[in-house]
């Protein structure tokens, strides 16, 4: 049986998959904090929204 | 270990938490403060609180022990813990839950369901299911932890239970979710320190990642039998290889990995964390912090578990056992404590003791808070005709939480048989009951009250029936012999059938019935900001 870092293929995929999943989360965090600088729209009650539209 | 030193450190530990409880009390002015920490939490606190709630002492020590039996195959659970438990959970559930929670002014999962489908009864029944089963689950968590402390450190069982309950009860009831989440941040740091040192220590002793895994792979069933390790039969292809497809160990892993790995999405105590975020960005940025925390907890715990066999074999240490009704059986919960006692210095034993204590307290505090909110806010307060003021709402929940803390203490001191297997029960039950209605409520506009009622109750009743009549861990203790003897069926977690059933029922009945006008208006409002 071929072992990678002492693990068989099924276990190695889980091992590397866990590290990659964590890396994905870190990359996502970096992307959001460094590149995508969007902030959500503030939640406005409907009346206020209408008022704003009328003002426009 | 010097007992006096332990007591002094314990007193400092308790004093810090109670002080944070006091700060939480000073800051708690409204119901929103008490239930969702004023929706003011940043990414790091959310991530640590989510992680510390998710990872209990049972997970930390118990799952390392399970890994010592089934080998590194359990790393699939670490993968799901991060990919599903963090990435999918925060991005596909957390963001929408927070927005819908704001639109519907909801502060608990039952309130979210009740407000979304304009049904007080739905909120009350959901709250009741959560409250009742969470008390039993919390008792089970206490039972496991206190037993562990008793076996490992010689501290009497009742002393452990009383100390946990009193400290957690005080800062939780006084300080609400502010106190819970702040203490979680400290507890998470203690857990991280303990786990990082332990993992680096074990890998260093075995010569690094490659050599350690190769040493584990080289252990034959005969080697494992010589130290009394159950891995000899439960990891038939070796500690670093997958078990044969559809064998009993394979089915055991399958049920564990999917039961916990998917079940995490519908845990009410975790869902509350999404509602505490101060903005969308806080939730998004909690993703990397949460992933790193879970990686350092579960990935490390599952990685070192099998390696404990190598250390025990190389040093002629027998696999720990416990006396169950006069029969000596393998005790996986004592594997990590045994390794620490044998191979680590006294100062680290103390650090790890506090890491376990922190893991136990953080999970217990989150469970008490969620159960208190479920019974106080969702069940009792909704049965009062006059709307209560925010102050009265907090008082009701504080009283409900106090009653739950006392009930848990009584159950933990006089544990019933049913309590012991609640840990196996809880994740699956919550997932099969709430995951389908919760997911469809967030994503499918046609979901309606009738569909949610039938999907929720269908999932709940099926899961209860499965645990009582069929599931291999619970059915023998309730009815003697499972109705189905085939292990490929009775070892399946109910999530495999109960969850699709609950989805099917919710979709089917939402399709064949219509929303009334009021429901439709609320549906539009709840999707306004999504």
């Amino acid at each position: 049986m071929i072992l990678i870092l002492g693990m068989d293929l099924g276990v190695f995929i889980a091992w590397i998959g866990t590290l990659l999943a964590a890396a994905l989360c870190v990359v996502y965090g970096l992307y959001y904090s460094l590149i995508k600088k969007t902030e959500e729209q503030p939640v406005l009650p409907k009346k206020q929204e209408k008022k704003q539209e009328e003002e426009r | 270990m010097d007992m006096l030193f332990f007591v002094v450190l314990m007193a400092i530990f308790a004093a810090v938490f109670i002080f944070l409880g006091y700060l939480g009390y000073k800051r708690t002015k409204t119901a929103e403060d008490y239930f969702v920490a004023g929706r003011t939490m940043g990414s790091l606190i959310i991530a640590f609180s989510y992680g510390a709630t998710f990872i209990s002492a049972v997970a930390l020590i118990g799952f390392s022990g399970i890994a010592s039996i089934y080998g590194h195959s359990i790393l699939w659970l670490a993968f799901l813990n991060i990919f599903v438990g963090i990435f999918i959970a925060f991005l596909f559930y957390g963001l929408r839950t927070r927005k819908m929670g704001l639109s519907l002014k909801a502060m608990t999962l039952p309130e979210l369901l009740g407000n979304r489908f304009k049904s007080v009864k739905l909120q009350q029944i959901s709250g009741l299911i959560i409250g009742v089963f969470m008390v039993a689950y919390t008792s089970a968590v206490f039972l496991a932890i206190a037993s562990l402390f008793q076996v490992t450190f010689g501290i009497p069982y009742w002393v452990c239970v009383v100390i946990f309950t009193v400290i957690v009860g005080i800062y939780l009831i006084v300080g609400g979710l502010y106190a819970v989440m702040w203490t979680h941040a400290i507890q998470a740091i203690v857990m991280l320190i303990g786990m990082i040192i332990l993992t680096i220590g074990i890998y260093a002793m075995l010569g690094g990642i490659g050599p350690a895994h190769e040493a584990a792979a080289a252990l034959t069933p005969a080697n494992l039998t010589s130290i009394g390790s159950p891995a000899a039969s439960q990891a038939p292809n070796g500690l670093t290889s997958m078990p044969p497809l559809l064998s009993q160990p394979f089915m055991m892993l399958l049920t564990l990995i999917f039961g916990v790995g998917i079940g995490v999405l519908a845990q009410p105590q975790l869902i509350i964390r999404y509602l505490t975020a101060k903005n969308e960005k806080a939730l998004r940025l909690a993703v990397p912090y949460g992933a790193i925390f879970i990686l350092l907890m579960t990935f490390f715990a599952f990685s070192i578990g099998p390696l404990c066999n190598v250390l025990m074999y190389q040093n002629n240490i027998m696999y720990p056992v416990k006396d169950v009704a006069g029969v000596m059986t393998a005790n996986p919960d004592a594997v990590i404590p045994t390794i620490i006692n044998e191979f680590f210095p006294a100062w680290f034993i103390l650090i790890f003791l506090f890491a376990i204590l922190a893991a136990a307290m953080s999970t217990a505090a989150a469970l008490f808070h969620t159960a208190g909110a479920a019974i106080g806010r969702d069940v009792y307060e909704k049965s009062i005709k006059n709307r209560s003021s925010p102050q009265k709402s907090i008082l009701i929940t504080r009283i409900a939480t106090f009653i739950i803390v006392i009930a848990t203490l009584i159950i933990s001191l006089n544990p019933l048989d049913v309590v012991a297997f609640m840990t196996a029960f809880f994740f699956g039950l919550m997932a099969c009951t709430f995951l389908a209605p919760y997911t469809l409520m967030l994503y499918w506009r046609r979901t309606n009250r009738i569909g949610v009622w039938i999907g929720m109750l269908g999932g709940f009743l099926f899961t209860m029936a499965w645990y009582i009549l069929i599931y291999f861990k619970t059915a023998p203790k309730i009815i003697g012999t499972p109705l189905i003897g085939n292990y490929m069926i009775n070892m399946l977690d109910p999530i495999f059938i109960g969850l699709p059933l609950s989805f099917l029922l919710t979709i089917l009945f939402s399709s064949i019935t219509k929303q009334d006008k009021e429901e439709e208006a609320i549906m539009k409002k709840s999707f306004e900001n999504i």
Side-chain angles (χ1 to χ4, degrees):
Chain A
M1 193 197 306
I2 300 165
L3 296 180
I4 310 164
L5 276 176
M7 296 171 275
D8 83 347
L9 191 63
V11 171
F12 179 73
I13 293 171
W15 188 82
I16 200 77
T18 310
L19 292 174
L20 289 176
L24 172 72
C25 293
V26 172
V27 168
Y28 178 84
L30 289 173
Y31 170 72
Y32 251 88
S33 58
L34 301 176
I35 300 166
K36 196 170 162 101
K37 297 224 172 194
T38 52
E39 191 54 55
E40 69 185 316
Q41 296 291 318
V43 179
L44 294 175
K46 270 201 159 174
K47 275 184 187 173
Q48 221 173 314
E49 267 179 22
K50 273 187 182 174
K51 217 179 174 183
Q52 278 190 357
E53 273 172 28
E54 282 167 11
E55 279 171 7
R56 272 180 223 148
Chain B
M1 184 182 56
D2 189 341
M3 198 62 187
L4 184 68
F5 192 50
F6 171 73
V7 171
V8 170
L9 276 181
M10 185 65 211
I12 296 170
F13 209 52
V16 169
F17 293 159
I18 291 169
F19 177 67
L20 288 174
Y22 170 74
L23 291 183
Y25 174 75
K26 295 286 280 180
R27 201 158 164 185
T28 302
K29 302 274 186 272
T30 63
E32 208 165 54
D33 289 332
Y34 191 83
F35 293 108
V36 287
R39 303 189 201 268
T40 55
M41 290 296 163
S43 49
L44 198 60
I45 299 273
I46 293 171
F48 276 4
S49 181
Y50 184 92
T53 303
F54 187 4
I55 306 299
S56 69
V58 179
L60 215 60
I61 289 226
F63 278 16
S64 296
I66 287 173
S68 76
I69 296 178
Y70 295 98
H72 278 133
S73 320
I74 203 174
L75 282 170
W76 280 106
L77 180 55
F79 168 73
L80 285 188
N81 284 159
I82 295 175
F83 188 68
V84 176
I86 298 289
F87 193 76
I88 303 280
F90 274 80
L91 298 185
F92 291 89
Y93 285 85
L95 294 172
R96 281 194 176 222
T97 303
R98 179 179 167 273
K99 283 177 178 173
M100 209 172 261
L102 275 170
S103 300
L104 298 172
K105 294 183 172 58
M107 290 184 259
T108 62
L109 174 63
E111 195 169 30
L112 198 60
L113 287 165
N115 290 1
R116 167 78 168 77
F117 298 103
K118 190 74 185 160
S119 169
V120 172
K121 286 267 179 295
L122 185 63
Q123 181 176 353
Q124 287 179 313
I125 297 296
S126 311
L128 198 63
I129 292 172
I130 291 169
V132 169
F133 285 93
M134 210 170 254
V135 169
Y137 176 59
T138 315
S139 304
V141 170
F142 270 41
L143 188 71
I145 296 157
S147 304
L148 185 75
F149 270 66
Q150 187 181 23
V151 169
T152 316
F153 305 106
I155 303 168
Y157 174 78
W158 71 269
V159 174
C160 299
V161 169
V162 171
I163 289 175
F164 289 151
T165 317
V166 170
I167 297 172
V168 173
I170 290 174
Y171 74 71
L172 162 67
I173 294 168
V174 172
L177 200 61
Y178 277 122
V180 172
M181 293 184 78
W182 290 334
T183 51
H184 276 172
I186 295 176
Q187 288 156 347
I189 292 168
V190 177
M191 288 160 71
L192 281 175
I193 294 170
M195 209 59 206
I196 289 171
I197 296 175
L198 178 65
T199 307
I200 292 175
I202 289 178
Y203 271 106
M205 277 183 247
L206 294 170
I209 296 173
H213 291 178
E214 279 158 16
L219 286 183
T220 62
N223 299 146
L224 293 164
T225 306
S226 71
I227 55 165
S229 172
S233 58
Q234 299 303 316
N237 288 347
L239 284 167
T240 60
S241 300
M242 295 296 291
L245 200 67
L246 301 181
S247 62
Q248 281 205 20
F250 180 88
M251 294 306 292
M252 180 68 205
L253 283 168
L254 194 71
T255 200
L256 194 69
I257 290 167
F258 281 93
V260 178
I262 305 292
V264 67
L265 292 172
Q267 301 306 307
Q269 71 276 22
L270 296 177
I271 291 169
I272 284 183
R273 267 71 203 158
Y274 309 141
L275 300 171
T276 65
K278 66 179 174 191
N279 53 31
E280 191 180 308
K281 196 177 177 187
L283 272 184
R284 291 188 188 275
L285 292 185
V287 171
Y289 296 131
I292 292 169
F293 182 80
I294 298 294
L295 181 82
L296 297 178
M297 289 288 128
T298 57
F299 181 66
F300 277 19
F302 300 159
S303 295
I304 59 174
L307 305 181
C308 294
N309 287 296
V310 182
L311 285 174
M312 285 189 278
Y313 177 72
Q314 288 177 350
N315 296 280
N316 294 319
I317 298 166
M318 292 302 288
Y319 196 94
V321 288
K322 64 181 172 186
D323 188 344
V324 179
V327 181
M328 298 312 279
T329 47
N331 182 12
D333 287 346
V335 168
I336 292 292
T338 303
I339 294 296
I340 291 173
N341 280 326
E342 291 285 340
F343 298 99
F344 285 82
W347 61 264
F348 180 72
I349 297 177
L350 200 63
I351 287 181
F352 200 75
L353 190 65
F354 277 93
I356 297 301
L357 202 63
M361 282 179 163
S362 55
T363 303
L367 292 173
F368 280 147
H369 180 269
T370 310
I375 299 296
R377 185 174 178 85
D378 297 320
V379 179
Y380 180 74
E381 202 184 328
K382 286 289 163 184
S383 63
I384 303 170
K385 280 184 182 170
N386 299 326
R387 271 183 81 90
S388 13
S389 66
Q391 262 56 39
K392 201 175 169 191
S393 177
I394 298 172
L395 181 67
I396 288 169
T397 300
R398 279 194 168 125
I399 293 169
T401 310
F402 178 74
I403 293 168
I404 281 167
V405 169
I406 297 299
T408 308
L409 181 64
I410 292 168
I411 296 171
S412 303
L413 289 173
N414 309 283
L416 303 168
D417 272 355
V418 71
V419 169
F421 50 79
M422 276 311 293
T423 39
F425 231 91
F426 189 76
F427 262 56
L429 188 71
M430 290 297 120
C432 294
T433 308
F434 294 114
L435 189 53
Y438 172 51
T439 308
L440 292 166
M441 171 189 84
L442 293 176
Y443 281 95
W444 192 39
R445 286 168 193 256
R446 280 191 63 183
T447 315
N448 67 23
R449 191 186 305 144
I450 296 170
V452 162
W453 264 116
I454 296 175
M456 188 179 93
L457 293 181
F460 174 77
L461 293 173
F462 172 85
T463 311
M464 289 302 290
W466 189 267
Y467 280 131
I468 293 168
L469 303 173
I470 294 167
Y471 193 55
F472 78 111
K473 267 189 196 168
T474 46
K477 290 176 184 165
I478 300 169
I479 57 164
T481 314
L483 288 188
I484 299 174
N486 185 339
Y487 75 85
M488 282 173 62
I489 293 173
N490 69 29
M491 285 181 87
L492 269 187
D493 193 278
I495 208 168
F496 285 98
I497 306 167
L499 191 57
L501 177 75
S502 180
F503 266 101
L504 190 74
L505 289 172
T506 313
I507 292 170
L508 183 70
F509 282 88
S510 293
S511 302
I512 58 175
T513 57
K514 279 190 172 176
Q515 293 171 339
D516 59 36
K517 282 193 174 166
E518 209 174 8
E519 238 187 304
E520 208 177 320
I522 293 172
M523 182 274 290
K524 282 179 182 160
K525 188 184 166 201
S526 60
F527 277 95
E528 234 165 33
N529 302 306
I530 292 175

